[in-house]
Amino acid sequence: MPHGPHQTVFPTPAPAWTQFLEAVRYQGVYPTRERAEEAARLVLAGLGRQLGGEGRVALAARLPAEAARLLVREIPATTPLTGQELVAELAAHSGASLATTRWDTGSVLTVVAGLAGPDLLDDLLDQLPPGHALLFGRAELSQPA
């Protein structure tokens, strides 16, 4: 599984859309850039429905222009979905299986995490319900009750 301790980290400024897609293609082990782009478009739109406020703006500033447009053109949901619910929604939208959609989501969001950097990613994960950290390639630690 290509999601692991290595994350793609890009230098500032944000990479071009083609570089972003190549990183997604590598992370997801997709056979073509077109397949990587299909996954990227689906997942970025879904993420755009989950994020609002300053975190969304800060993330968009670190993404390639096309990725930022996909993220910010979506209207944020009043109640964000858990990670599992997000994957289910994306699967329903794309017609793909839950397993394929989970793979696509993790592949894209791991690249997004590298662009966001650890501090912004922490802020974004604080905004989101449980289950998103794993999608971004991070362990999700729960607090003792």
Side-chain angles (χ1 to χ4, degrees), residues 28 69 109:
R69 277 190 292 278
L109 293 184

Side-chain angles (χ1 to χ4, degrees), residues 10 14-25 30 33 35-52 55-77 86-87 89-91 93-94 101-116 121 124 128 132 135-136:
F10 294 99
W17 177 241
T18 54
Q19 289 174 293
F20 179 82
L21 292 178
E22 283 303 316
V24 170
R25 182 178 178 192
Y30 297 115
R33 185 181 297 160
R35 177 63 185 95
E37 183 170 0
E38 178 183 305
R41 288 183 179 282
L42 175 74
V43 173
L44 288 168
L47 181 61
R49 291 188 293 275
Q50 304 308 302
L51 295 174
R56 175 182 166 121
V57 173
L59 179 58
R62 296 187 187 185
L63 297 175
E66 179 64 19
R69 277 190 292 278
L70 291 166
L71 183 77
V72 300
R73 76 176 182 193
E74 298 294 325
I75 298 170
L86 174 62
V87 170
E89 177 193 73
L90 295 175
H93 185 266
S94 68
T101 305
R102 167 61 180 88
W103 181 266
D104 290 348
T105 304
S107 298
V108 174
L109 293 184
T110 299
V111 174
V112 169
L115 289 168
L121 185 56
L124 296 174
L128 296 167
H132 285 83
L135 297 173
F136 282 95

